[in-house]
Amino acid sequence: MTNEDNLRWLEHIADVLHENAAYLTQLDSPIGDADHGVNMDRGFKAVRDKFPSMAEMDISTQLKTVGMTLVSTVGGASGPLYGTAFLRAGTAVAGKGELDTADIVAMLEAFLGGIVARGKANPGEKTMVDALTPAVNTAKQALAEGVTAKELAQRAAQAAEEGMKATVPLLATKGRASYLGERSIGHQDPGATSSWLILRGLAETL
Ligand code: ADP
Ligand code: MG
């Protein structure tokens, strides 16, 4: 994975989050404040403005630029969470000209680590962590099996999708949805959904 591939992934994320902004916001309306799509779209619009200057950056700097941009432009919980995720992902691949499958797994693990460090959610609390944790575990397994980067990303995205769907029956105990208590049950978590879109974007890019 080159810095050009990484930039294509980031462009793809910006497109997909824009196309799905209404959907993500709709998911955030029964169990939140109906702004997740708006938040993600705003953040990645600001990232999009930086794409021209990002072509010359290495992968680490590109990811850190995304992280800093999200932290400074997204007001909701998702801004600092994804911001920290991209910052940590960038740190994990510092100095790498290209990423091999092990580097991609390290990047994904750091991405999840950033969200957990920032939000302190455990699996099963109906958050992004519920899509990302199975994705990272599946990616590690795929790495051990020696599959290609594309196959690894596809399997990770599939695991994220299953994790996302599995948030429906969960009771939210973190973030805004937790204020609803039992009424949070029966709805798919918006953040788990954007996490799936981000990982599916990686698989599609590769
Ligand atoms: P806000 O909740 O401030 O309106 P968003 O609507 O953009 O922010 O994002 C909501 C999403 O953030 C939730 O669907 C959930 O996945 C995620 N989230 C909230 N709190 C946490 C947390 N502590 N850890 C991980 N993810 C969280
Ligand atoms: Mg919200």
Side-chain angles (χ1 to χ4, degrees):
M1 186 170 172
T2 63
N3 66 337
E4 207 176 307
D5 296 330
N6 192 53
L7 190 52
R8 283 197 298 119
W9 176 35
L10 297 171
E11 286 167 353
H12 191 60
I13 294 172
D15 289 343
V16 166
L17 291 176
H18 181 66
E19 284 157 20
N20 286 279
Y23 172 55
L24 292 172
T25 282
Q26 183 196 323
L27 290 173
D28 195 33
S29 69
I31 58 166
D33 54 353
D35 66 355
H36 188 57
V38 176
N39 287 341
M40 297 306 292
D41 194 29
R42 183 192 305 122
F44 271 87
K45 252 188 198 109
V47 170
R48 192 188 288 281
D49 291 340
K50 301 197 175 156
F51 285 153
S53 67
M54 282 166 72
E56 300 302 315
M57 294 175 187
D58 65 9
I59 298 173
S60 172
T61 312
Q62 287 174 337
L63 293 170
K64 287 184 193 170
T65 301
V66 173
M68 287 183 293
T69 306
L70 295 180
V71 169
S72 62
T73 56
V74 181
S78 54
L81 289 165
Y82 279 129
T84 310
F86 278 99
L87 283 169
R88 296 254 183 138
T91 302
V93 297
K96 305 262 181 192
E98 288 189 18
L99 307 187
D100 62 17
T101 46
D103 298 325
I104 292 172
V105 172
M107 173 181 77
L108 295 176
E109 206 171 358
F111 187 94
L112 168 62
I115 291 189
V116 172
R118 187 83 207 189
K120 309 275 184 285
N122 297 304
E125 294 198 279
K126 202 179 182 94
T127 71
M128 300 162 180
V129 170
D130 293 309
L132 294 170
T133 302
V136 168
N137 290 338
T138 298
K140 282 185 190 166
Q141 172 81 36
L143 176 64
E145 289 177 32
V147 306
T148 63
K150 180 182 167 185
E151 171 79 20
L152 183 145
Q154 281 170 342
R155 289 195 201 175
Q158 172 80 34
E161 183 175 13
E162 286 161 19
M164 166 192 85
K165 288 181 177 159
T167 63
V168 175
L170 295 176
L171 172 81
T173 47
K174 282 281 186 307
R176 214 176 269 280
S178 66
Y179 307 157
L180 289 172
E182 300 279 326
R183 282 184 294 134
S184 66
I185 294 172
H187 302 282
Q188 184 173 305
D189 180 60
T193 308
S194 56
S195 288
W196 165 61
L197 291 172
I198 289 169
L199 290 182
R200 192 188 64 176
L202 180 62
E204 288 173 352
T205 302
L206 293 175

